[in-house]
Amino acid sequence: MTRVVQISDTHLSPKKTHFAGNWKPLLAWIAAQRPDLVVHTGDVTVDGADVEEDLRHCAELLRSLPAPVLAVPGNHDVGEPGHPHQPVNEERLDRWRRHFGPDWWSRDLEGWCLIGLDSMLFGSELEDEARQIAWLERTMAEAGGRRIAWFTHQPLFVEGADEEDTGYWSVKPRPRAILLDMVRRHRVALVATGHLHRSHDREVESCRFVWGASSGFVVGPEMQPAMPGECRLGAVVYDFEGADVSVTRF
């Protein structure tokens, strides 16, 4: 069995320390889970998209975890597609890669291929968007019969796969359609995301979609439209064994 802990939306910074008090309890909790791997699904930082010291500080914190760590960026880390003041771009991506390594990656387990995706590229029209999609097709085609799990920041959808544009909250309809086609063709078994600061778990067309709660702070109804899931702090534990996975939301 391989145990993977997903944490998300920690929103840490050496100067804006609003949520820093959650780090030590989170660190102790992760150690108690005895994971083989930790995956951070983005918004590691408060201001990493513009403040490199946030990236440097948070990369150092992740290195203190008691297991190997893989991470994918969120909008607070590298900006977001189409944002008028903080668009994802090559400069912001390069800063992420210097401190955290690749923004998309794969890790093979017995029976599984884990794939990390940079959802901030979806709909960006950067060259890296097309490169990531080509790499994703190739990686899944070469999975050799292993089941496939994706980890990324932004959920593909909120209410349903055919919903209209939800703005800030999920992947835009055009790139979403491409990704959902890939989910169906390659029989992706699990899509694990963050971003919404909510905990949720549901199955759609034989794929399990898990939202990992924030480890930083909750978002109240005055800041977020009504949507599924629980509004609470948390994390997720995945136990991969053979072709199976058990999911425990904390």
Side-chain angles (χ1 to χ4, degrees):
M1 184 185 77
T2 301
R3 172 162 286 189
V4 177
V5 166
Q6 177 197 359
I7 58 174
S8 199
D9 299 87
T10 45
H11 292 279
L12 296 167
S13 168
K15 291 186 177 179
K16 296 181 179 179
T17 59
H18 313 66
F19 317 115
N22 289 328
W23 179 251
K24 285 188 178 179
L26 178 63
L27 184 63
W29 178 84
I30 291 172
Q33 305 310 307
R34 303 181 67 183
D36 300 290
L37 176 68
V38 176
V39 176
H40 197 306
T41 48
D43 281 359
V44 187
T45 70
V46 174
D47 289 326
D50 283 330
V51 181
E52 185 160 4
E53 183 55 31
D54 272 26
L55 296 171
R56 184 181 296 109
H57 172 77
C58 289
E60 186 175 343
L61 289 177
L62 292 190
R63 285 192 289 271
S64 71
L65 290 173
V69 182
L70 292 170
V72 292
N75 48 295
H76 280 258
D77 306 316
V78 297
E80 59 186 280
H83 195 283
H85 306 297
Q86 204 174 61
V88 61
N89 57 30
E90 291 183 7
E91 179 184 357
R92 292 186 168 103
L93 291 168
D94 285 346
R95 284 202 298 263
W96 168 273
R97 291 162 183 164
R98 282 202 302 274
H99 294 284
F100 292 93
D103 48 323
W104 68 82
W105 44 260
S106 67
R107 172 69 62 92
D108 289 336
L109 309 179
E110 184 178 355
W112 287 83
C113 176
L114 309 187
I115 293 175
L117 296 173
D118 181 353
S119 60
M120 296 300 99
L121 288 172
F122 301 147
S124 69
E125 300 185 2
L126 294 174
E127 291 183 5
D128 274 344
E129 181 181 11
R131 279 199 286 265
Q132 179 177 226
I133 289 294
W135 170 88
L136 178 58
E137 283 277 19
R138 185 170 62 252
T139 300
M140 292 195 293
E142 296 172 353
R146 290 184 296 275
R147 300 189 80 194
I148 294 168
W150 291 0
F151 291 84
T152 190
H153 181 63
Q154 199 173 36
L156 302 190
F157 53 84
V158 176
E159 296 284 355
D162 59 351
E163 69 191 8
E164 299 293 325
D165 189 342
T166 65
Y168 170 82
W169 302 108
S170 67
V171 173
K172 300 292 185 184
R174 182 191 64 78
R176 180 202 307 151
I178 295 169
L179 293 161
L180 287 174
D181 175 67
M182 297 171 80
V183 166
R184 296 179 185 111
R185 285 190 292 105
H186 293 280
R187 298 182 180 179
V188 175
L190 171 68
V191 176
T193 59
H195 186 56
L196 298 183
H197 291 232
R198 299 182 76 84
S199 179
H200 193 40
D201 183 357
R202 63 179 158 179
E203 188 170 300
V204 179
E205 297 182 17
S206 301
C207 181
R208 194 167 184 177
F209 291 83
V210 177
W211 298 351
S214 169
S215 301
F217 64 95
V218 298
V219 177
E222 70 279 1
M223 295 179 61
Q224 187 181 64
M227 60 178 65
E230 302 168 71
C231 181
R232 59 179 173 85
L233 293 177
V236 188
V237 172
Y238 303 89
D239 288 320
F240 294 93
E241 188 163 13
D244 298 323
V245 60
S246 66
V247 179
T248 308
R249 290 177 295 129
F250 288 87

